Structure formats: structure tokens, C-alpha cells
Amino acid sequence: MAKASRLMAWHPCRRVMSTSLSKGVNMSDLNNMTVGFIGFGNMAQGIAKGLVNGE
Amino acid sequence: MISGSQIVANSGHFEKAQSAAAAIGAKATHAASETVAASDVVVIAVKPNQIEAALADVLDELKTDDKFIVSVAAGRNLDCYQELLGDSAHVQCVIPNTPIEVGQGILVTENANTLTDTQRDVFEALFSPIALIERVDTPLMDIGSSVAGCAPAFTAIYIEALADAGVKYGLKRETAYRLAAKMTEGVGALYMATGTNPGAMKDAVCSPGGTTIKGVTELEKQGFRGAVISGVDAIQNG
């Protein structure tokens, strides 16, 4: 069963933290989301490592 | 940016996916449907000729406003996904390159996409910290992929060759690799910071009658510039 929509629910009025990452998106939004990979070869693993460790 | 626990992965080889996922604190799933159900962002990273089979069981689940697709499959653009999924899925096609692993990557990003404004903001928030997001029109995705996605192999050969020369004249192998790699990184960073024309950057190092221009002249004699362009030609025509 799919999760309830979080993307649709995001709105600037719902911001909790002040750290703005991009228009209308902040750290708390990203902390609540899941990134799924269909296919997990070298490139996908590299992207996943970047997302976790890369900045 | 995000924690490993926020990543799930599915592939044809569960044990391999599980091992790779565990290394970053992520989880592997046995079925694509599990991964799609758990995800807000679905990265499609199978080989281009495997996409239809990989997505066969999750087509309906992807036709939703609740999640969006980021495709990293070479040669597949928005039109391909719309043919497969119709108009109700939200799709962004990109071509990544390997330095994204250390937060220094590029995403050649198709201008055409079906993300909502909020999804586009999420895409930027997720990936801009680890990659330059360079948007190009659909017909330019292939050449963008060649320059950004394939050329790391060219650059690695250049670094290796430059280091070989360093070793030839006495540098330790590790020192030579570090010098060549950091120099390459630095020249790129200098361009990104200043926008100085690469020709002017070359000129700035070449003193009149100096040693560097002699090296540049020899590279031109050996066809260095033409060899790089021919390499890209081979990819484009391959």
C-alpha cells in the first residue's frame, strides 16, 4: 500500500525548520522522505552513496 | 543529506543489493513493488533495455501524484516514459556521472519533465548538493551524456598518463596521482568559480618562450585536441 502523499502535503506554511534547501523544501521535508532504487548497480550505488555521504 | 535508512533498493540479485544497501545503512527489497510502495522518489536505474520488464508489476503504482520518477537510464527520455506510463506519472530523466558518489557529480537533466513545482523543488533539494543540475533540451541529452557521463573515463586516462609522466621523472606513484587528480579538480573548480575561457586559462600558464608552451605545442603535434573530439565522435556514432 502506498504511503499517504507527503509531496502533495508540503506547503510553505507547514515548514518547521528554517533551513531552506530549495524553494518550498526544507530539511525536515527531506528527513521524512524515502528514495527507492529500481536497479542497484554501480551507478545507482554511487548516487545512493552521494545522497547519504556526498555533500 | 539523507540517512541510509531513507533509501530502499531493489535489483535482480537480492543478495548483491542487500550487501550494497547495508553498506550505507539502506535496505534491499525482494520486489520492485515493495520499493515503489515505500518510496516518495523512485530512481529507475536498470539498463535501458530492461525498463519495461523491471516496471511491469508497478506501472499503476507509478501513475500517481504521490511520488515521482527520476530515470538515470541512458537513451530514455520523457517521451519513452509517457509511452509506457501515460500522462499521469511524474517523470524527470537525467544522466548522472560517477563523481556524484562524492558530491561532485553532474546530472544532465532533460528540460522536458512532468514534475509538479513542488516535486521539482524536492528534486533540486535532493540532488543539487551533490551534483550540478544542467538542464538541456531532449535532442542534446546524448551529447550531454557523452561529455559529462562518458568523459570521466577520458579524464581518468589523462590523469593516469600525466601521473605516468611524473613517475617517469621520479615522482612516487601515489604522489603523481594526487598531483594529477587535484590539478584536474582545481582547473575545473577555477572555471566554475570564474567562468574564464579555457583558452585564456591555458594562456595564463604559458609564458612567452617558456616551457609550458613547448609542452602545449607537443600535445598539439600529437593531436591531443583532435583525439578528444574523435573520442566523443566515437561515442555519438557508436
Side-chain angles (χ1 to χ4, degrees), chain A residues 1-8 10 21-25 27 29-55, chain B residues 1-2 4 6-11 20-21 24 32 35 37-46 65-66 68 72 96-97 100-103 118 121-122 124-127 130:
Chain A
M1 189 65 190
K3 292 180 182 179
S5 171
R6 289 196 291 265
L7 298 183
M8 294 298 287
W10 287 343
L21 300 173
S22 186
K23 290 180 297 180
V25 181
M27 186 64 81
D29 293 326
L30 294 185
N31 286 343
N32 287 327
M33 64 187 312
T34 299
V35 179
F37 287 83
I38 305 295
F40 206 52
N42 290 340
M43 193 69 247
Q45 290 174 37
I47 295 169
K49 287 176 185 172
L51 288 170
V52 174
N53 304 316
E55 192 177 15
Chain B
M1 275 303 303
I2 64 175
Q6 293 173 259
I7 291 177
V8 293
N10 172 257
S11 80
I24 56 169
T35 289
S39 301
D40 303 288
V41 180
V42 179
V43 179
I44 297 177
V46 295
D65 293 332
D66 293 351
F68 65 89
V72 303
N97 69 358
I100 199 169
E101 179 176 335
V102 292
T118 301
D121 290 345
V122 172
E124 296 266 354
L126 263 180
F127 292 105
I130 60 171

Side-chain angles (χ1 to χ4, degrees), chain B residues 71-172:
Chain B
S71 169
V72 303
R76 292 299 186 104
N77 58 31
L78 178 62
D79 285 346
C80 299
Y81 281 95
Q82 290 194 308
E83 197 171 308
L84 184 65
L85 295 163
D87 294 332
S88 49
H90 297 276
V91 181
Q92 174 69 73
C93 294
V94 302
I95 297 295
N97 69 358
T98 49
I100 199 169
E101 179 176 335
V102 292
Q104 299 289 326
I106 296 172
L107 289 179
V108 182
T109 302
E110 188 179 17
N111 259 331
N113 66 78
T114 51
L115 303 193
T116 65
D117 288 346
T118 301
Q119 290 169 340
R120 198 169 296 117
D121 290 345
V122 172
F123 171 79
E124 296 266 354
L126 263 180
F127 292 105
S128 65
I130 60 171
L132 170 70
I133 296 173
E134 188 73 35
R135 297 183 184 277
V136 302
D137 290 337
T138 303
L140 299 176
M141 287 294 285
D142 282 347
I143 182 59
S145 169
S146 296
V147 172
C150 301
F154 297 2
T155 305
I157 291 171
Y158 170 69
I159 289 170
E160 185 181 33
L162 189 59
D164 279 347
V167 171
K168 179 180 178 182
Y169 288 93
L171 287 177
K172 290 182 179 175

